[in-house]
Amino acid sequence: MDREAWIFGYGSLIWRPAFRFERMVPGYITGWARRFWQGSTDHRGVPGAPGRVVTLIPSPGALCWGMAYRVGEAELDEVLRALDHREKGGYARHDVPLHLADGAAVRAEITARSAIVYLATPDNPDYLGAAPLPEIAAQVLASHGPSGSNVEYVLRLADALMAMGAHDEHVTELAALVGHRAPRPVDPRTTVGPSCGGRAAGAADGPSTELGARSTSS
Ligand code: SIN
């Protein structure tokens, strides 16, 4: 049986996978929008003073870019155990159809697969839900946890999305509110379609065999 699996990261898993993978490729999922609606009491905040991190909200017609990682059969159990621990603050595994944008041939070669995604749904105790963006920004500015400042999480996500050519209005606006520099214009030659609430460009580096470092921070 082929137990190769794909894991789709849309938050800290984009810039800090910290698990062993065989290949990383930008990809997207449809019908979901990325939002800073999940409270974090174990990474970017503390109990009683949660930070805000991203989860995915069902959103018909939306398209969310992130990073897809292929994990080999030999590593899969260990990787999922480590990710279950890292994402224990409200997230659970779900299977989603994944569209893979394959490196340089991003527009020509998009293939669909199924991937594991970590999702925090409204029934978890740390879920915070919607709030006006200035309120979310104020909470981000005030929050700090074992993995570092909440501002760092926002800015690293904004930078990682920018680096892969994916634009997400919600992330860009929040990053600007917490002190991000002005976003670089997206190169129209690499644009492949809309992202969560905005336009996205497919991106990027070709397939990689890089192995992530080991760390459980998020
Ligand atoms: C993810 O990155 O895919 C899940 C949310 C997070 O850890 O930031």
Side-chain angles (χ1 to χ4, degrees), residues 1 16 63 147 160 182 205:
M1 189 177 77
R16 187 185 289 149
L63 192 154
S147 296
D205 301 329

Side-chain angles (χ1 to χ4, degrees), residues 141-200:
L141 284 163
S143 299
H144 204 283
S147 296
S149 75
N150 206 169
V151 169
E152 187 209 12
Y153 179 102
V154 173
L155 300 189
R156 292 196 75 162
L157 178 56
D159 282 346
L161 289 173
M162 210 185 286
M164 73 167 69
H167 178 63
D168 183 322
E169 202 76 20
H170 180 71
V171 176
T172 306
E173 284 181 11
L174 181 60
L177 286 174
V178 301
H180 201 241
R181 63 185 180 278
R184 287 197 310 260
V186 170
D187 181 345
R189 288 169 304 178
T190 58
T191 298
V192 293
S195 179
C196 313
R199 276 157 57 86

Side-chain angles (χ1 to χ4, degrees), residues 18-41:
F19 56 81
R20 296 177 72 84
F21 54 84
E22 294 175 341
R23 193 174 160 209
M24 58 184 279
V25 188
Y28 65 87
I29 57 175
T30 57
W32 297 95
R34 177 174 19 229
R35 292 289 180 268
F36 276 84
W37 290 6
Q38 173 64 13
S40 175
T41 59

Side-chain angles (χ1 to χ4, degrees), residues 58-130:
S59 183
L63 192 154
C64 184
W65 278 91
M67 193 60 82
Y69 303 92
R70 193 180 70 195
V71 178
E73 174 170 5
E75 280 82 35
L76 188 56
D77 287 342
E78 186 190 334
V79 165
L80 291 178
R81 248 195 322 274
L83 285 179
D84 286 352
H85 177 75
R86 167 171 163 173
E87 304 294 331
K88 66 185 182 313
Y91 295 83
R93 286 186 226 158
H94 293 260
D95 287 324
V96 288
L98 165 71
H99 300 265
L100 217 50
D102 212 341
V106 69
R107 273 162 295 191
E109 289 196 34
I110 287 185
T111 52
R113 297 160 194 267
S114 175
I116 296 165
V117 67
Y118 282 82
L119 207 61
T121 52
D123 52 6
N124 84 82
D126 291 334
Y127 190 80
L128 295 173

Side-chain angles (χ1 to χ4, degrees), residues 8-14 53-54 86-87 91 117-118 153 218:
F8 179 74
Y10 58 92
S12 67
L13 292 181
I14 296 180
V53 289
V54 286
R86 167 171 163 173
E87 304 294 331
Y91 295 83
V117 67
Y118 282 82
Y153 179 102
S218 174

